[in-house]
Amino acid sequence: MGWSNGEEEEVIMDVGCGPGRLTSQFIVPCFPKLKKIMALDVIPGMIEVAKSNYSHPKIEYAVANFEDRSTVERWEGQLTKFICIQCFNRIKDQKKAFKTVYDLLQPNGEAAFLFLLHNGYYEAILKIAEDSKWKTYFTCNVTDCVPESQLKNYSAFHFKNMVQDVGFTIRYCRETQNVTTFSNDEEYIDFYYSVCALAPYIPENEVSEFKKDLLRYIIQENGRNNDGTPVDKTATIELILKKPA
């Protein structure tokens, strides 16, 4: 992207920073003329971990919900770069969020996004939510747990049109199919259960049975390798955008 060759001081926002490892170990080294990074996450526990384990004099960690514009509007027009890794797919009104990014950037400022479009796991979530064995446990709207890009089968073309409507120039856009192999079923389902939005609704004495059924539904969607090891199949989008001068 050529970001490490810039001549100006960089003021950056990293949204969805999680525990801070990527922010401190990967983003900071990319910017030799870094002035400050505002690293935000909606989960207070993540920010506590980041401050404890990945503090840095040029990183300001803060709890903020990016979907609430009031939490970030004090930085309008100040950013030279905006970064969001594996988080934007969780935002409900993505066009509004892209507009917020646009307004936060200085003229000629740039933004980089990597986020999920589709994953067999989400199809499995929709199926298990309709399973007669489990559906009575879920008092939430299960579709709220699934990205709109999954529900409506969006492609990169959808997002290209969206960001151009906001006013961005597209520097780069690529949709990628990713396949990740897990060592065994236990590792596979432990990972997915750890991120499953339906897990809090399952009684403790039913967790083992729920994990078995969830594994079965995910395998139906994602499949296995020839040697029987489970795989994760994900479509992601990479976007690099520029705000015109």
Side-chain angles (χ1 to χ4, degrees), residues 160-173:
K160 288 175 73 173
N161 286 337
M162 181 184 291
V163 298
Q164 287 174 328
D165 284 346
V166 168
F168 280 112
T169 298
I170 298 172
R171 283 192 56 198
Y172 179 84
C173 178

Side-chain angles (χ1 to χ4, degrees), residues 1 15 24 30 78-80 85 124 167 177 181 234:
M1 295 184 288
V15 168
S24 63
C30 288
Q78 298 183 36
L79 305 183
T80 59
I85 300 171
Q177 303 295 323
T181 297
T234 303

Side-chain angles (χ1 to χ4, degrees), residues 2-229:
W3 282 6
S4 62
N5 302 321
E7 295 298 321
E8 62 182 327
E9 281 192 320
E10 302 282 4
V11 179
I12 299 166
M13 182 175 288
D14 175 24
V15 168
C17 67
R21 186 178 69 89
L22 289 178
T23 311
S24 63
Q25 296 186 358
F26 291 88
I27 296 176
V28 168
C30 288
F31 297 95
K33 296 191 176 181
L34 178 64
K35 181 178 180 180
K36 182 194 286 188
I37 294 181
M38 280 74 71
L40 313 180
D41 201 279
V42 72
I43 302 174
M46 288 293 186
I47 294 300
E48 290 174 13
V49 172
K51 288 180 176 178
S52 175
N53 296 342
Y54 295 102
S55 63
H56 189 282
K58 293 186 177 181
I59 302 177
E60 178 184 320
Y61 291 110
V63 178
N65 180 358
F66 192 76
E67 293 185 88
D68 180 357
R69 187 184 176 101
S70 67
T71 63
V72 296
E73 61 186 3
R74 64 186 180 276
W75 291 299
E76 283 190 12
Q78 298 183 36
L79 305 183
T80 59
K81 302 290 190 296
F82 179 96
I83 297 169
C84 188
I85 300 171
Q86 297 294 16
C87 174
F88 223 70
N89 53 291
R90 302 182 186 186
I91 292 176
K92 290 301 178 184
D93 190 338
Q94 291 174 317
K95 187 168 186 178
K96 179 181 176 182
F98 277 121
K99 179 62 167 63
T100 299
V101 175
Y102 186 91
D103 292 340
L104 291 172
L105 289 168
Q106 299 176 8
N108 289 320
E110 294 181 316
F113 302 84
L114 168 65
F115 59 92
L116 177 147
L117 288 176
H118 316 120
N119 187 295
Y121 158 74
Y122 287 113
E123 289 300 318
I125 286 292
L126 294 171
K127 288 183 177 180
I128 203 168
E130 292 301 316
D131 189 312
S132 59
K133 187 192 303 185
W134 303 109
K135 64 187 302 182
T136 57
Y137 288 108
F138 307 129
T139 57
C140 63
N141 183 350
V142 175
T143 58
D144 287 343
C145 305
V146 179
E148 186 176 302
S149 58
Q150 179 88 25
L151 296 171
K152 298 186 178 180
N153 198 31
Y154 290 154
S155 67
F157 183 74
H158 170 84
F159 289 98
K160 288 175 73 173
N161 286 337
M162 181 184 291
V163 298
Q164 287 174 328
D165 284 346
V166 168
F168 280 112
T169 298
I170 298 172
R171 283 192 56 198
Y172 179 84
C173 178
R174 183 175 71 165
E175 183 175 335
T176 304
Q177 303 295 323
N178 307 286
V179 178
T180 303
T181 297
F182 285 74
S183 299
N184 52 60
D185 285 4
E186 183 179 6
E187 178 189 40
Y188 189 60
I189 196 56
D190 282 348
F191 166 73
Y192 271 119
Y193 187 77
S194 72
V195 299
C196 181
L198 302 182
Y201 298 93
I202 304 301
E204 188 173 347
N205 65 325
E206 299 276 10
V207 167
S208 178
E209 190 67 21
F210 178 77
K211 288 170 75 171
K212 289 179 183 177
D213 285 351
L214 181 60
L215 173 65
R216 174 168 54 84
Y217 279 116
I218 299 173
I219 293 296
Q220 285 176 6
E221 298 299 326
N222 283 344
R224 296 182 182 274
N225 289 314
N226 290 335
D227 62 3
T229 51

